[in-house]
Amino acid sequence: MGSQAKFSALETGLEQAILAITQVGITSCDFQTSSQPVLNQQIQNLISTMKDIDSMRPQFNDVMLPVDVFDYIDSGKNPHLYTKDCLEKAAAKRQEQHAKADALQMLRDNLLEELDKMFPDQMKEYKMTRGL
């Protein structure tokens, strides 16, 4: 089964499970003793659907998800926001690292300038050996 097909099958199974859970909930809310056979059938349908979903588990052993995605889902956020937030954090970190690199370059330049003033002969030799 192709990658896309296995995800489609899982999505279909999950949709069926949601529908079965909804039906059990509706029947339970308006429960009357005469609806017991219907409720039993719906519960059996839900169990069957859950078994079908569970049987798909080996197909997804290679799928890796960050645990943070589940935190997003648990807090009611869209899991797609996780990717957006990760990209924003990476951009902020990149900008921070770039600023640090610029600061270190400025420090280096200032040190070379001050050392050149204080030790001109040694700095001339240093610059020749470093090719500066």
Side-chain angles (χ1 to χ4, degrees), residues 39-49:
L39 180 61
N40 290 345
Q41 180 58 42
Q42 290 173 342
I43 291 173
Q44 288 301 318
N45 184 30
L46 175 60
I47 291 169
S48 174
T49 303

Side-chain angles (χ1 to χ4, degrees), residues 36-91:
Q36 184 66 50
V38 173
L39 180 61
N40 290 345
Q41 180 58 42
Q42 290 173 342
I43 291 173
Q44 288 301 318
N45 184 30
L46 175 60
I47 291 169
S48 174
T49 303
M50 297 303 283
K51 283 181 180 178
D52 291 344
I53 291 171
D54 188 59
S55 71
M56 294 181 207
R57 190 169 18 131
Q59 299 173 31
F60 295 94
N61 284 341
D62 61 334
V63 176
M64 304 296 284
L65 289 175
V67 175
D68 295 340
V69 171
F70 296 107
D71 293 337
Y72 271 69
I73 294 168
D74 289 342
S75 65
K77 295 180 183 175
N78 185 332
H80 293 294
L81 291 177
Y82 175 77
T83 304
K84 178 184 173 214
D85 290 347
C86 283
L87 290 174
E88 288 174 354
K89 287 177 187 174

